[in-house]
Amino acid sequence: MTISVVEAARSEGGREAHPGLTIAADGSYAARLAPAGDGRGRIPERWTLDGPEPYAVPLPGPRPEGPGTEVLPLPDGRVLICREADGGYHLALLYPTGPGTGELPLGSVGCERLRLLPPAPDGSHGSCGSAVHALAPGEHGSTVWLVHGGGRGPEPVAEVPGRCSGGVWLDREGRLLALDRTDAAGRTKTVAVDLGRGGEVFPLLELTDDSDDRLLLADPDSGLLLLRSDAPGEVRLGWGVLGSHRPVRFPDALRPPGVALTPFAVQPGQALTPEGCAVALRADGPNGTWVAVWRPSQRRLRHLPAPVGWVRGTGLWTADGELRLPYAVGRTGRTQCGLARITPPPPESGPLPRQRAERSAEGDGPAEGGPAEGGGPLAVRAAAFTPVPLQQAPLARTEAERRS
């Protein structure tokens, strides 16, 4: 394993970055709301990540931002901001202009709640640049808005019955959007919304009639899906393949005792080979927070130390297998940001040796649910749940299915 850190910034009184960093679709920029210099309120901040050294640029407005404000970076370096005010939400584009901040109003949306959706994998290009979507959940129906990129200001592009949350893109064109929809009985299932066909809705995850099934991540290249469901009898992480007839699986490697796992990044560019995709997960246990890496083809987690000041639960993979984790240290109002570049060991080939597998089954791994010294393995066991198939339109196939 190799780890290199770009700009290992340190200073007296250093502190962990404020959570909530959003990374642009192409990994070039990031944005967050950072503590203001006077210690009151927050201001937008843009990070440049694709240069030789990452750096942060504050984008202060006339006043600190309120608690309902969200920011999202665009691949061209501008930052879209969504502010709650006057019973609705006002949208604008921010950009640095010398010592100040330029602001281009985009319009407003009148609703009780509006949440920006993640960038589509390729940035989803529209007539006015990169498209950005937002979700307005309602008690009996939810609206998907195109808030930038349509050329006419914010406009609704889909109406989805039921109260929706989440938001995961299933393709690189920004057309197929997965949402977690909760019905009147309180059950949650993931549905797919085809924005290219007027917002047509079809089922995506329905593991059992009574289960709550939520999609967490999807990789459009390989079709790998990461989900959370109580179909096995308890809430567990599982994986499946979009368009495959293979069942959803809930491996015990994703259920380490005393540790909560949250996937946040999937390796792109692995066409037709979902089993080899690397998945980065935030691991929270009694001994702190660290990073775990897992592949469907492997029966155990690999544990990695997180960089000091890691913006927890954020990062991205490159197609060649480099994991990039943003971090920030420094005094309030003077962010020193960096990007830890981690290359985990390549996947093991073949089954685990018998003695090693037996040691793992007996609990060879981190004690007390914390990261092992040097990132050792965690105990794994054979999966005990008979999974059930995914239900969705056939959009991708695995390499094995293609050959058959």
Side-chain angles (χ1 to χ4, degrees):
M1 178 177 68
T2 61
I3 300 179
S4 64
V5 177
V6 178
E7 190 188 340
R10 298 291 183 268
S11 67
E12 295 182 6
R15 65 193 328 180
E16 188 177 48
H18 191 281
L21 187 75
T22 301
I23 302 175
D26 61 355
S28 56
Y29 295 97
R32 67 167 183 162
L33 292 172
D38 58 3
R40 295 179 298 175
R42 298 182 295 169
I43 62 172
E45 188 177 71
R46 190 197 70 186
W47 294 17
T48 299
L49 301 178
D50 59 353
E53 291 187 352
Y55 63 93
V57 176
L59 297 171
R63 63 186 64 86
E65 300 296 338
T69 299
E70 290 184 291
V71 292
L72 186 147
L74 302 181
D76 62 9
R78 294 179 296 178
V79 173
L80 186 142
I81 188 167
C82 180
R83 299 183 177 105
E84 183 179 7
D86 304 324
Y89 290 83
H90 299 271
L91 299 119
L93 291 177
L94 305 180
Y95 52 93
T97 56
T101 302
E103 182 168 328
L104 176 64
L106 296 177
S108 61
V109 176
C111 60
E112 293 184 3
R113 180 74 178 98
L114 187 71
R115 184 177 57 83
L116 297 178
L117 292 172
D122 71 339
S124 182
H125 296 288
S127 60
C128 291
S130 299
V132 179
H133 293 79
L135 177 67
E139 191 63 34
H140 304 291
S142 301
T143 305
V144 179
W145 286 80
L146 177 62
V147 296
H148 174 58
R152 298 189 300 272
E155 57 181 316
V157 291
E159 298 286 341
V160 183
R163 187 172 185 86
C164 295
S165 59
V168 177
W169 294 102
L170 302 175
D171 64 344
R172 289 196 169 277
E173 289 71 40
R175 170 175 171 173
L176 297 175
L177 174 66
L179 296 172
D180 298 326
R181 180 172 65 180
T182 303
D183 61 20
R187 297 189 193 90
T188 300
K189 307 288 186 185
T190 302
V191 298
V193 183
D194 190 340
L195 302 181
R197 299 182 64 178
E200 181 179 350
V201 179
F202 57 91
L204 185 67
L205 294 179
E206 293 184 349
L207 302 190
T208 69
D209 291 339
D210 298 325
S211 61
D212 285 327
D213 312 313
R214 300 175 184 270
L215 184 63
L216 305 179
L217 287 178
D219 174 55
D221 297 327
S222 65
L224 179 65
L225 305 178
L226 276 297
L227 58 104
R228 196 183 301 276
S229 174
D230 60 3
E234 60 179 325
V235 178
R236 293 181 59 175
L237 286 176
W239 69 280
V241 179
L242 190 65
S244 171
H245 296 292
R246 295 183 178 183
V248 171
R249 302 184 183 276
F250 295 88
D252 277 357
L254 296 181
R255 190 180 58 168
V259 177
L261 295 177
T262 305
F264 63 86
V266 182
Q267 182 183 3
Q270 312 303 300
L272 304 176
T273 56
E275 295 86 355
C277 277
V279 179
L281 306 100
R282 169 177 169 167
D284 292 283
N287 292 345
T289 298
W290 64 99
V291 180
V293 174
W294 171 81
R295 290 178 174 86
S297 60
Q298 293 184 310
R299 297 179 58 189
R300 63 181 181 127
L301 293 168
R302 292 183 181 272
H303 299 272
L304 309 174
V308 174
W310 176 41
V311 186
R312 299 182 181 185
T314 61
L316 72 157
W317 287 98
T318 63
D320 58 1
E322 182 180 74
L323 178 60
R324 299 178 178 179
L325 302 176
Y327 65 89
V329 291
R331 296 182 184 277
T332 299
R334 292 186 60 192
T335 300
Q336 293 175 290
C337 66
L339 197 63
R341 302 176 184 270
I342 303 174
T343 303
E348 297 175 341
S349 58
L352 288 174
R354 181 176 178 181
Q355 292 181 348
R356 186 175 177 184
E358 289 173 353
R359 287 199 302 271
S360 293
E362 293 170 357
D364 179 22
E368 304 296 331
E373 187 71 22
L378 196 68
V380 296
R381 301 183 303 278
F385 175 69
T386 302
V388 290
L390 282 169
Q391 297 178 8
Q392 82 288 308
L395 299 177
R397 293 184 297 169
T398 64
E399 179 66 28
E401 291 172 329
R402 187 188 185 201
R403 288 196 296 264
S404 63

